[in-house]
Coordinates of all heavy atoms in Angstrom, one line a residue:
N1 N 100.2 72.1 86.2 CA 101.2 71.1 85.7 C 100.7 70.3 84.6 O 100.8 69.1 84.5 CB 101.6 70.2 86.9 CG 102.8 69.4 86.6 OD1 103.7 69.8 85.8 ND2 102.9 68.2 87.2
E2 N 100.1 71.0 83.6 CA 99.5 70.4 82.4 C 99.9 71.2 81.2 O 100.3 72.4 81.3 CB 98.0 70.3 82.6 CG 97.6 69.4 83.7 CD 96.1 69.4 83.9 OE1 95.4 70.1 83.2 OE2 95.6 68.7 84.8
R3 N 99.6 70.7 80.0 CA 99.9 71.4 78.8 C 98.6 71.4 77.9 O 97.8 70.4 78.0 CB 101.0 70.7 78.0 CG 102.4 70.8 78.7 CD 103.5 70.2 78.0 NE 104.8 70.4 78.7 CZ 105.6 71.4 78.6 NH1 105.3 72.4 77.8 NH2 106.7 71.5 79.3
D4 N 98.5 72.4 77.1 CA 97.4 72.4 76.2 C 97.6 71.5 74.9 O 98.7 70.9 74.9 CB 97.0 73.9 75.7 CG 98.2 74.5 75.0 OD1 99.1 73.8 74.4 OD2 98.2 75.8 74.9
R5 N 96.7 71.6 74.0 CA 96.8 70.7 72.8 C 98.0 71.0 71.9 O 98.4 70.2 71.0 CB 95.5 70.7 72.0 CG 95.1 72.0 71.5 CD 93.9 72.0 70.7 NE 93.4 73.3 70.3 CZ 92.5 73.5 69.3 NH1 91.9 72.5 68.8 NH2 92.1 74.7 69.0
F6 N 98.6 72.2 72.1 CA 99.8 72.6 71.3 C 101.1 72.4 72.1 O 102.1 72.8 71.6 CB 99.6 74.1 71.0 CG 98.4 74.4 70.2 CD1 97.4 75.1 70.8 CD2 98.3 74.0 68.9 CE1 96.2 75.4 70.0 CE2 97.1 74.3 68.1 CZ 96.1 75.0 68.7
G7 N 100.9 71.8 73.3 CA 102.1 71.5 74.1 C 102.6 72.6 74.9 O 103.7 72.5 75.6
Q8 N 101.8 73.7 75.0 CA 102.3 74.8 75.8 C 101.8 74.6 77.3 O 100.7 74.1 77.5 CB 101.7 76.1 75.3 CG 102.1 76.4 73.9 CD 103.6 76.6 73.8 OE1 104.2 77.3 74.6 NE2 104.3 76.0 72.8
P9 N 102.6 75.0 78.3 CA 102.2 74.9 79.7 C 100.9 75.7 80.0 O 100.8 76.8 79.5 CB 103.4 75.5 80.4 CG 104.5 75.4 79.5 CD 104.0 75.6 78.1
L10 N 100.0 75.1 80.7 CA 98.8 75.7 81.1 C 98.9 76.4 82.4 O 99.5 75.8 83.4 CB 97.7 74.7 81.2 CG 97.0 74.2 79.9 CD1 96.0 73.1 80.2 CD2 96.3 75.4 79.2
Q11 N 98.5 77.6 82.5 CA 98.4 78.4 83.7 C 97.0 79.1 83.7 O 96.5 79.4 82.7 CB 99.5 79.3 84.0 CG 100.8 78.7 84.4 CD 101.7 79.7 85.2 OE1 101.5 80.9 85.1 NE2 102.6 79.1 85.9
D12 N 96.5 79.3 84.9 CA 95.2 79.9 85.0 C 95.1 80.8 86.2 O 96.0 80.8 87.0 CB 94.1 78.8 85.1 CG 92.7 79.3 84.7 OD1 92.6 80.5 84.4 OD2 91.8 78.5 84.8
S13 N 94.1 81.6 86.3 CA 93.8 82.3 87.5 C 93.5 81.3 88.6 O 93.1 80.2 88.4 CB 92.6 83.3 87.3 OG 92.8 84.2 86.3
S14 N 93.6 81.8 89.9 CA 93.2 81.0 91.0 C 91.8 81.5 91.4 O 91.4 82.7 91.3 CB 94.2 81.2 92.2 OG 95.4 80.6 91.8
F15 N 91.1 80.6 92.0 CA 89.7 80.9 92.4 C 89.5 80.4 93.8 O 90.1 79.4 94.3 CB 88.7 80.2 91.5 CG 88.6 80.7 90.1 CD1 89.5 80.4 89.1 CD2 87.6 81.7 89.8 CE1 89.4 80.9 87.9 CE2 87.5 82.2 88.6 CZ 88.4 81.8 87.6
A16 N 88.7 81.1 94.6 CA 88.2 80.7 95.9 C 86.7 80.5 95.9 O 86.0 81.4 95.4 CB 88.7 81.6 97.0
L17 N 86.2 79.4 96.4 CA 84.8 79.2 96.5 C 84.4 79.1 97.9 O 84.9 78.2 98.7 CB 84.4 77.9 95.7 CG 84.6 77.8 94.2 CD1 86.1 77.6 93.9 CD2 83.8 76.7 93.6
F18 N 83.4 79.9 98.4 CA 82.9 79.9 99.7 C 81.6 79.2 99.7 O 80.6 79.7 99.1 CB 82.8 81.3 100.3 CG 84.0 82.1 100.2 CD1 84.3 83.0 99.2 CD2 84.9 82.1 101.3 CE1 85.5 83.8 99.2 CE2 86.1 82.8 101.3 CZ 86.4 83.7 100.2
F19 N 81.5 78.1 100.4 CA 80.3 77.3 100.5 C 79.7 77.5 101.9 O 80.3 77.4 103.0 CB 80.5 75.8 100.4 CG 80.9 75.4 99.0 CD1 82.3 75.5 98.6 CD2 80.0 75.0 98.1 CE1 82.7 75.1 97.3 CE2 80.4 74.6 96.8 CZ 81.7 74.7 96.4
N20 N 78.4 77.9 102.0 CA 77.7 78.0 103.3 C 76.3 77.3 103.1 O 75.4 77.9 102.6 CB 77.5 79.5 103.7 CG 76.8 79.6 105.1 OD1 76.8 78.6 105.8 ND2 76.3 80.7 105.4
A21 N 76.2 76.1 103.6 CA 75.0 75.3 103.6 C 74.2 75.4 104.8 O 73.1 74.8 104.9 CB 75.3 73.8 103.3
S22 N 74.6 76.3 105.7 CA 73.8 76.5 107.0 C 72.7 77.4 106.8 O 72.5 78.1 105.8 CB 74.8 76.9 108.1 OG 75.1 78.3 107.9
E23 N 71.8 77.5 107.9 CA 70.7 78.4 107.9 C 71.0 79.8 108.3 O 70.2 80.7 108.4 CB 69.6 77.8 108.8 CG 69.1 76.5 108.3 CD 70.0 75.3 108.8 OE1 70.9 75.6 109.6 OE2 69.8 74.2 108.3
L24 N 72.3 80.0 108.7 CA 72.8 81.3 109.2 C 73.9 81.9 108.4 O 74.6 81.2 107.7 CB 73.3 81.2 110.7 CG 72.2 80.6 111.7 CD1 72.9 80.3 113.0 CD2 71.1 81.6 111.9
P25 N 74.0 83.2 108.4 CA 75.2 83.8 107.7 C 76.5 83.3 108.3 O 76.6 83.0 109.4 CB 75.0 85.3 107.9 CG 73.6 85.5 108.3 CD 73.2 84.3 109.0
A26 N 77.5 83.3 107.5 CA 78.9 82.9 107.9 C 79.9 83.9 107.5 O 79.7 84.6 106.4 CB 79.2 81.5 107.4
T27 N 80.9 84.2 108.3 CA 82.0 85.1 108.0 C 83.2 84.3 107.7 O 83.7 83.5 108.5 CB 82.2 86.0 109.2 OG1 81.0 86.8 109.5 CG2 83.3 87.0 108.8
C28 N 83.7 84.5 106.4 CA 84.9 83.7 106.0 C 86.0 84.7 105.7 O 85.8 85.7 105.1 CB 84.5 82.9 104.7 SG 83.2 81.7 104.9
L29 N 87.2 84.2 106.0 CA 88.4 84.9 105.7 C 88.8 84.8 104.2 O 88.8 83.7 103.7 CB 89.6 84.4 106.6 CG 90.9 85.2 106.4 CD1 90.8 86.5 107.2 CD2 92.1 84.4 106.9
V30 N 89.1 85.9 103.6 CA 89.5 85.8 102.2 C 90.9 85.4 102.1 O 91.8 86.0 102.7 CB 89.3 87.2 101.5 CG1 89.8 87.1 100.1 CG2 87.9 87.6 101.5
P31 N 91.2 84.2 101.4 CA 92.6 83.7 101.4 C 93.5 84.5 100.4 O 93.0 85.4 99.7 CB 92.4 82.3 100.9 CG 91.2 82.4 100.0 CD 90.3 83.4 100.6
G32 N 94.7 84.1 100.4 CA 95.7 84.8 99.4 C 97.1 84.3 99.7 O 97.5 84.0 100.8
R33 N 97.9 84.3 98.6 CA 99.2 83.8 98.7 C 100.1 84.9 99.5 O 101.1 84.5 100.1 CB 99.8 83.5 97.4 CG 99.7 84.6 96.4 CD 100.3 84.2 95.0 NE 100.1 85.2 94.0 CZ 100.6 85.2 92.8 NH1 101.5 84.2 92.5 NH2 100.3 86.1 91.9
T34 N 99.7 86.1 99.3 CA 100.3 87.2 100.1 C 99.2 88.1 100.6 O 98.1 88.1 100.2 CB 101.3 88.0 99.3 OG1 100.6 88.9 98.4 CG2 102.3 87.1 98.5
A35 N 99.6 89.0 101.5 CA 98.6 90.0 102.1 C 98.1 91.0 101.0 O 97.1 91.6 101.2 CB 99.2 90.7 103.2
H36 N 98.9 91.0 99.9 CA 98.5 92.0 98.8 C 97.7 91.3 97.7 O 97.5 92.0 96.6 CB 99.8 92.6 98.3 CG 100.6 93.4 99.3 ND1 100.2 94.5 99.9 CD2 101.8 93.1 99.8 CE1 101.1 94.9 100.8 NE2 102.1 94.0 100.8
T37 N 97.3 90.1 97.8 CA 96.6 89.4 96.8 C 95.2 90.0 96.7 O 94.5 90.2 97.8 CB 96.4 87.9 97.1 OG1 97.7 87.3 97.2 CG2 95.6 87.2 96.1
H38 N 94.7 90.4 95.5 CA 93.4 90.9 95.3 C 92.5 90.0 94.5 O 93.0 89.2 93.7 CB 93.5 92.3 94.6 CG 93.9 93.4 95.5 ND1 95.2 93.6 95.9 CD2 93.2 94.4 96.1 CE1 95.3 94.6 96.7 NE2 94.1 95.2 96.8
W39 N 91.3 90.0 94.8 CA 90.3 89.2 94.1 C 89.1 90.0 93.6 O 88.9 91.1 94.1 CB 89.7 88.2 95.1 CG 90.7 87.3 95.8 CD1 91.4 87.7 96.9 CD2 91.1 86.0 95.6 NE1 92.2 86.6 97.4 CE2 92.0 85.6 96.5 CE3 90.7 85.0 94.6 CZ2 92.6 84.3 96.6 CZ3 91.2 83.8 94.6 CH2 92.2 83.4 95.6
R40 N 88.4 89.5 92.7 CA 87.2 90.1 92.2 C 86.0 89.1 92.4 O 86.3 87.9 92.2 CB 87.2 90.6 90.8 CG 87.2 89.5 89.7 CD 87.1 90.1 88.3 NE 87.0 89.0 87.3 CZ 85.9 88.5 87.0 NH1 84.7 88.8 87.5 NH2 85.9 87.5 86.1
L41 N 84.9 89.6 92.7 CA 83.7 88.7 92.8 C 83.3 88.2 91.4 O 83.1 89.1 90.5 CB 82.6 89.4 93.5 CG 81.3 88.7 93.7 CD1 81.4 87.5 94.6 CD2 80.1 89.6 94.1
V42 N 83.1 86.9 91.2 CA 82.6 86.4 90.0 C 81.1 86.3 90.1 O 80.3 86.7 89.2 CB 83.2 85.0 89.7 CG1 82.6 84.4 88.4 CG2 84.7 85.1 89.6
F43 N 80.6 85.7 91.2 CA 79.1 85.7 91.5 C 78.9 85.3 92.9 O 79.7 84.7 93.6 CB 78.4 84.8 90.5 CG 78.7 83.3 90.6 CD1 78.1 82.5 91.6 CD2 79.6 82.7 89.8 CE1 78.4 81.2 91.8 CE2 79.9 81.3 89.9 CZ 79.3 80.6 90.9

């Protein structure tokens, strides 16, 4: 809901960040707006 310096509406990719500060592995569900949403690992 923002505009760039030329007045054009800004849109971007969506990102999910999984934080695990515990001493054990954690299993997290990959979110998505639909069941067909695909993601790629950034890092």
Side-chain angles (χ1 to χ4, degrees):
N1 194 27
E2 297 174 359
R3 295 182 180 272
D4 63 18
R5 59 179 177 168
F6 302 108
Q8 298 300 313
L10 279 174
Q11 282 204 342
D12 197 2
S13 300
S14 296
F15 288 82
L17 294 78
F18 302 96
F19 292 88
N20 183 18
S22 73
E23 300 80 11
L24 299 172
T27 301
C28 296
L29 184 77
V30 176
R33 52 179 172 172
T34 71
H36 302 291
T37 300
H38 283 75
W39 306 79
R40 72 171 184 87
L41 178 68
V42 180
F43 65 81

